[in-house]
Structure formats: structure tokens, C-alpha cells
Amino acid sequence: VYYCNYVLGSYNDGITQTMVSVIGGIPMGIGIFAVWPLAKKFGKRNLTMAGFVLYGIGSAICCLAPTNMVIVLVGQFVKNIGGLPCAYVFMALMADTYDHLEWKNGFRVDGAAMSIYSIITVTMTGVCTGVFNLLLSTSGYVAPSLVDGVTVAATQTDSVKNMLIFCFVGLEIITSIIVIVLLSFVNVEKGLQEKQDEIEHGCNDRHSSSPVCLKEGKDNESSVKNPKPFDLDRYDKIQQQLHIRIADCKRQKNGHIDIICGKQCLPEHD
């Protein structure tokens, strides 16, 4: 709002902020159809990193001519294309991180992680608002005044305008670089499917000491090393017993056999 009122346009002109919001927001609507196929092909982390690269480039374009409407709108369009992975994919990457931590440590941290995430989000909203108001006051910002019932905006100094440009587009270049560096250390997608399979079966290399996992592993190992040979004679004997039982059951039921009788007449075998 401050940037549109005092740098890009005029105070409450009714068009500047609308153009920035609409043109810059178009990618957020149509990009949802492209972001997930790209995430499946290139990976969530890689796509998010590429998105922040575009985000920083878009902000840099705006910085080239922060008072030019066309250039700023182009930069905003590019910036919001870069913001697509962060909006639609980043939380899925966090879910992959939870799976990785469960695979590594043997317990999930969804509740604790989301609590910390919410605390940081809520806290930083207030902190950033306070810091911005502090920058406004220290840079010499003059608030609009009411003259004859009409709100009149004051002419702001260059220091105020430069501060608004930095807060709106300049700071985003710095934060994009920081996020790209941090994401370069994230490798939770490596072998993710195998990790999820191990979690689903309750067994993994680090936490496979449960009786179920140990028994399953021993049984599987034993069956592979010492497969049980097929006993044809025993199979024929079971078949003969089965036919005899069914015939007896039919006579007892006057030629009819039901499910209960079928269960009772089945021969017992290993």
C-alpha cells in the first residue's frame, strides 16, 4: 500500500494497487495446473529452489525502475511465477521431512513442527509490522492529513521512498538468496519411497528391533535360504479327504451344502 501510494503511483488513485495485485496474482491462479507435474519430474526441493531464483529475479526487475508501472508489473509477474512452488509445494516438502525424521529417529514430529511453524508465523507478523513502523518513523515519513474533510497525502522525502522500495522489492532479493542456500542442504527426497515403505511396515535399518520386525525378517530370510519343497503325495491325500468330506456332508444335508457345512467338512491340515 505505501509503495503504491508514494512510489509507483499517487495516493489512493484507485488503479495502481489494483494493477499490481491483479497482474502479479495471475500466475498464482493458472500456475497450480503446472506446478505439480513439474514437482514430480524435477523434485519438490529443486522446483522450490528454482522458484526462489525467479522470485529474486522478479524483485530485481522491479528494482531496476521502481517508479515505472510496466517494468514493475513485469517484475511482479515473474516474481509470482517464482512464488508458485512455495505456495503449493513447500508444505508437501515439509511432510517429506516429517517422514524422513520418522524413518531416522523412529517417531513423528508433525504436531511439534506445526506448532513451531504457527508460533513463528504469528510472532513474526507482529515483529515485522513493528520493524516497518520503526523504519517509517526514523526515515521521516509524514502521515496524510485531513484538510476540509478531505484526506491529503503529504509529499514524502527520498529517504522514505528508498526505504519503501527496499522493503517492497529489495529485501525479497536477500531473503530469496538465503532460502536458496538453506534449501541446498535439504535432501529428504532421496530414497523417500523406500523410507515410506519401511515406515509403513514398521521396520527400518535403524529401528527394526521390535518382535514383529525381527520375526518377519527371520521368516523371510529362512524361507529364501531354505524353501520348503512341494509335497505332491500330501497334496493328493488332502484332495481325497476333501472329496470324501464333501460327499458325506451332501448326504447329511440331503444333497445340499452350505457355507457352514463346507467349513465343518474341510480337512484339517497345516
Side-chain angles (χ1 to χ4, degrees), residues 213-229:
C213 296
L214 293 174
K215 182 178 184 301
E216 182 179 320
K218 291 180 179 178
D219 291 345
N220 292 338
E221 183 179 358
S222 176
S223 63
V224 172
K225 291 182 178 180
N226 303 305
K228 187 176 181 180

Side-chain angles (χ1 to χ4, degrees), residues 88-103:
Y88 298 121
V89 176
F90 191 73
M91 294 306 295
L93 183 61
M94 285 187 64
D96 294 343
T97 304
Y98 302 154
D99 289 340
H100 172 78
L101 291 174
E102 181 181 6
W103 172 81

Side-chain angles (χ1 to χ4, degrees), residues 197-217:
D197 291 340
E198 291 179 2
I199 293 172
E200 182 179 357
H201 291 87
C203 306
N204 57 54
D205 294 335
R206 294 170 172 78
H207 305 280
S208 57
S209 59
S210 66
V212 175
C213 296
L214 293 174
K215 182 178 184 301
E216 182 179 320

Side-chain angles (χ1 to χ4, degrees), residues 1-178:
V1 175
Y2 288 91
Y3 175 80
C4 292
N5 284 340
Y6 299 110
V7 179
L8 187 60
S10 57
Y11 185 79
N12 285 346
D13 56 16
I15 187 64
T16 304
Q17 189 174 353
T18 301
M19 292 292 292
V20 171
S21 300
V22 173
I23 301 299
I26 288 176
M28 302 302 290
I30 62 178
I32 190 174
F33 300 103
V35 67
W36 275 109
L38 291 174
K40 292 180 180 179
K41 183 176 182 179
F42 299 105
K44 303 181 188 71
R45 185 204 69 165
N46 294 335
L47 184 64
T48 305
M49 289 178 65
F52 277 106
V53 170
L54 286 178
Y55 203 88
I57 292 174
S59 297
I61 293 174
C62 295
C63 285
L64 294 176
T67 59
N68 187 298
M69 175 70 77
V70 175
I71 293 178
V72 170
L73 291 179
V74 171
Q76 288 294 303
F77 189 85
V78 174
K79 186 177 76 171
N80 281 279
I81 291 177
L84 284 171
C86 182
Y88 298 121
V89 176
F90 191 73
M91 294 306 295
L93 183 61
M94 285 187 64
D96 294 343
T97 304
Y98 302 154
D99 289 340
H100 172 78
L101 291 174
E102 181 181 6
W103 172 81
K104 182 178 180 181
N105 301 315
F107 57 87
R108 296 193 67 85
V109 294
D110 303 49
M114 289 308 299
S115 297
I116 295 173
Y117 175 85
S118 300
I119 291 172
I120 292 175
T121 302
V122 174
T123 303
M124 292 309 297
T125 299
V127 171
C128 291
T129 301
V131 171
F132 179 73
N133 289 331
L134 178 63
L135 291 175
L136 283 177
S137 61
T138 55
S139 61
Y141 171 77
V142 179
S145 58
L146 190 64
V147 179
D148 297 330
V150 178
T151 303
V152 179
T155 301
Q156 305 298 334
T157 62
D158 289 340
S159 62
V160 174
K161 294 180 179 179
N162 291 334
M163 184 273 297
L164 295 175
I165 293 171
F166 173 77
C167 291
F168 185 69
V169 291
L171 185 62
E172 293 176 341
I173 300 175
I174 300 174
T175 55
S176 296
I177 295 173
I178 294 174

